[in-house]
Amino acid sequence: MISHILFLQLLLFIPPTLSLNHQPNCDLNAHNQGSTLKIFHIDSPCSPFKPKTSLPWEARVLQMLADDEARLRYLSSLIAGKSNIPVASGRQILGTPTYIVKARVGTPAQSLLVAVDTSSDFTWFPCTGCVGCPSKTGFSPEKSTTFKNVSCNSLQCRQVPNPTCGTGACAFNLTYGSSSLAGNFSVDTLRLAADPIPSFAFGCVRRVSAGATVTPPQGLLGLGRGSLSLLSQSQSLYKSTFSYCLPSFRSLNFSGSLRLGPTAQPIRLKFTPLLRNPRRSSLYYVKLVGIRVGRKVVDLPPDAIAFNPTTGAGTIIDSGTVFTRLATPVYEAVRNEFRKRVKPRSAVVSSLGGFDTCYSTSIVAPTVTFVFPGVNLTIPAENLLIHSTLGSTTCLAIAAAPDNVNSVVNVIASMQQQNHRVLIDVPNSRLGLARERCS
Ligand SMILES: *[C@@H]1O[C@H](CO)[C@@H](O)[C@H](O)[C@H]1NC(C)=O
Ligand SMILES: *[C@@H]1O[C@H](CO)[C@@H](O)[C@H](O)[C@H]1NC(C)=O
Ligand SMILES: *[C@@H]1O[C@H](CO)[C@@H](O)[C@H](O)[C@H]1NC(C)=O
Ligand SMILES: *[C@@H]1O[C@H](CO)[C@@H](O)[C@H](O)[C@H]1NC(C)=O
Ligand SMILES: CC(=O)N[C@H]1CO[C@H](CO)[C@@H](O)[C@@H]1O
């Protein structure tokens, strides 16, 4: 039954150039009602950051895969007490957070398009006169009547990465290997959709170390679960509850939504326990108990999927990594089963960059199902397979985690979450999932 659905989806697969002529509604305010924000892919026609030169699809996909490697190292480095974050080959890793929302900061409000990152706590914006920031358009604290520097003696200052004291104001320095962001820890009113959040604490970035190409250009909204995150700072308003639907990056004209707070959340979801790992306290962990390829339950080494609060190992849901990454033995077992079940059996496997399971002839692929207590997340073909521009190459869009990451983190990434509603409900320690066509 499931494989029939997948087969249908393959037949119905429409190359992007032919898809519905959907005019984007680029008015970021249009659906910013209540506590719901429109969410866009950073390359969307509605984004001012969309690439100026359009790389061919294959090159873009491979670039995203390469960026993910750095992201994985970043996630894996989020070990309590560790502040030095390694960076891959000089690329900046605040990473590839690929979805943006509109935030308004200060009084009167200044609009910024900030990346949402469910695995970061620290929110920051580039501030006036920032040396080395990629964008001239940031936040101008001097134009806001509600802006304040956080004092060095405050409790908040102690939670900041590498706090130092200038002349009474709390300063931070986020280090990423050879790159870093520095500035003053500040508070101001943050407005998301219709909600004002007074005295919201964030990093006002004044300096970026040379050589770094900082993405995202107008800052980052930290939706992690640690103490400095938006959720921790808006407890009374949002109660550590939010959901999102990420639009597919194949339909860049579509938008999704980020819905903050417990009200108006969908109810028809399936839930699995949400776990907290003290070793990586910003991240949203779930318990992966198995993976099916088609109907076959793949034999996986238990250590490679186990949740371990001592080492930080486990499986996380992340919005900033594009392609799902599995610990090498897990990936290999899944990939081998996938290859076995691809029809026709004579299809020849090739590779494309970091993807090692590609086909240049037309295939029928099995489904892949992530099994969590309470939810079986069956990945539909559109979230499982990457097709080259002309439809001539199809790859399994999952890869092995880089070998050098310390302790196992399996990452369920954004491509596999696209067109799903993901609900994070911290008070009830549960994560909800349902298929939803974002628009
Ligand atoms: C997206 O919108 C742009 C601008 O309206 C249009 O030119 C393009 O054809 C659309 N693309 C898709 C895939 O619908
Ligand atoms: C905050 O600190 C910055 C950096 O030192 C300084 O330029 C600014 O005047 C301070 N702003 C306020 C409101 O104290
Ligand atoms: C952050 O601190 C490091 C180590 O002291 C320093 O080398 C770096 O230049 C600082 N970063 C910025 C952007 O000032
Ligand atoms: C998930 O699939 C398994 C079969 O592998 C089944 O036993 C279980 O009931 C399913 N769970 C849910 C929540 O649908
Ligand atoms: C990086 C940065 O902007 N640090 C400043 C923070 O605020 C203090 C006090 O105003 C300054 O002395 C620092 O230079």
Side-chain angles (χ1 to χ4, degrees):
M1 176 34 192
I2 286 165
S3 61
H4 277 123
I5 294 170
L6 183 55
F7 184 58
L8 258 179
Q9 271 167 345
L10 273 178
L11 286 180
L12 292 175
F13 173 76
I14 309 163
T17 44
L18 297 180
S19 53
L20 312 165
N21 193 16
H22 185 275
Q23 288 296 103
N25 177 359
C26 291
D27 180 1
L28 282 139
N29 297 321
H31 294 270
N32 280 357
Q33 301 151 339
S35 304
T36 301
L37 294 113
K38 256 188 152 178
I39 191 164
F40 284 107
H41 194 277
I42 197 155
D43 294 345
S44 151
C46 296
S47 162
F49 316 126
K50 61 183 177 293
K52 292 195 179 60
T53 52
S54 60
L55 280 177
W57 171 246
E58 276 174 29
R60 287 248 312 107
V61 164
L62 296 182
Q63 184 59 61
M64 287 192 277
L65 190 67
D67 288 345
D68 272 358
E69 297 259 328
R71 172 84 182 174
L72 264 281
R73 279 187 213 100
Y74 163 66
L75 293 174
S76 120
S77 74
L78 292 176
I79 291 279
K82 204 170 171 234
S83 59
N84 256 23
I85 297 169
V87 67
S89 60
R91 288 187 67 84
Q92 235 297 337
I93 50 84
L94 260 184
T96 40
T98 32
Y99 291 94
I100 52 173
V101 296
K102 180 175 166 177
R104 291 177 305 142
V105 192
T107 316
Q110 302 174 34
S111 292
L112 296 173
L113 292 174
V114 294
V116 292
D117 189 343
T118 56
S119 297
S120 292
D121 296 331
F122 195 70
T123 294
W124 60 267
F125 313 117
C127 282
T128 309
C130 173
V131 178
C133 279
S135 171
K136 290 274 172 283
T137 49
F139 175 60
S140 305
E142 68 284 0
K143 292 185 188 149
S144 170
T145 57
T146 41
F147 177 85
K148 289 194 188 66
N149 288 318
V150 167
S151 114
C152 279
N153 313 324
S154 72
L155 215 59
Q156 265 175 328
C157 190
R158 275 174 233 157
Q159 301 172 332
V160 164
N162 303 318
T164 51
C165 266
T167 47
C170 178
F172 64 87
N173 178 327
L174 290 168
T175 306
Y176 298 100
S178 59
S179 319
S180 59
L181 309 175
N184 278 99
F185 196 45
S186 313
V187 293
D188 206 334
T189 304
L190 171 69
R191 287 184 175 79
L192 295 171
D195 301 328
I197 302 159
S199 299
F200 178 74
F202 61 93
C204 195
V205 173
R206 302 281 191 176
R207 205 164 55 241
V208 173
S209 74
T213 47
V214 179
T215 56
Q218 291 185 3
L220 181 134
L221 188 63
L223 290 179
R225 61 185 305 179
S227 58
L228 283 176
S229 83
L230 169 71
L231 284 311
S232 301
Q233 292 192 50
S234 59
Q235 264 306 321
S236 55
L237 185 61
Y238 298 139
K239 310 210 160 41
S240 289
T241 306
F242 68 98
S243 75
Y244 57 84
C245 184
L246 303 176
S248 163
F249 56 69
R250 295 207 62 111
S251 350
L252 289 174
N253 287 1
F254 290 80
S255 63
S257 64
L258 170 66
R259 196 168 298 149
L260 297 158
T263 46
Q265 292 296 355
I267 44 171
R268 250 171 265 171
L269 299 171
K270 288 204 165 159
F271 291 98
T272 191
L274 183 64
L275 309 176
R276 194 183 162 275
N277 197 318
R279 283 289 277 169
R280 294 191 177 100
S281 56
S282 308
L283 308 182
Y284 296 102
Y285 281 82
V286 284
K287 187 171 198 277
L288 179 64
V289 292
I291 300 178
R292 278 202 319 257
V293 174
R295 289 204 191 138
K296 166 88 185 196
V297 177
V298 181
D299 199 11
L300 302 175
D303 281 358
I305 57 166
F307 175 76
N308 186 331
T310 311
T311 61
T315 301
I316 65 160
I317 299 273
D318 180 41
S319 66
T321 310
V322 181
F323 303 108
T324 290
R325 296 287 187 144
L326 301 172
T328 303
V330 177
Y331 174 70
E332 286 176 351
V334 169
R335 174 203 65 192
N336 293 347
E337 194 60 41
F338 181 91
R339 287 181 181 174
K340 249 195 253 173
R341 286 169 178 261
V342 160
K343 300 262 161 51
R345 301 204 67 151
S346 58
V348 177
V349 178
S350 57
S351 65
L352 177 67
F355 295 115
D356 67 2
T357 300
C358 301
Y359 299 86
S360 48
T361 50
S362 119
I363 56 154
V364 178
T367 52
V368 171
T369 302
F370 293 96
V371 181
F372 305 105
V375 185
N376 290 335
L377 175 63
T378 295
I379 309 293
E382 63 168 336
N383 298 35
L384 186 64
L385 305 173
I386 284 280
H387 304 266
S388 69
T389 321
L390 299 172
S392 57
T393 303
T394 301
C395 298
L396 173 64
I398 298 180
D403 284 336
N404 53 350
V405 303
N406 44 20
S407 101
V408 182
V409 198
N410 296 298
V411 180
I412 310 294
S414 67
M415 176 168 172
Q416 279 69 42
Q417 296 174 51
Q418 284 166 5
N419 288 317
H420 283 79
R421 175 66 51 180
V422 179
L423 172 69
I424 303 284
D425 178 353
V426 174
N428 296 307
S429 298
R430 59 184 193 168
L431 180 141
L433 279 169
R435 287 280 282 154
E436 178 180 322
R437 191 54 55 198
C438 307
S439 62

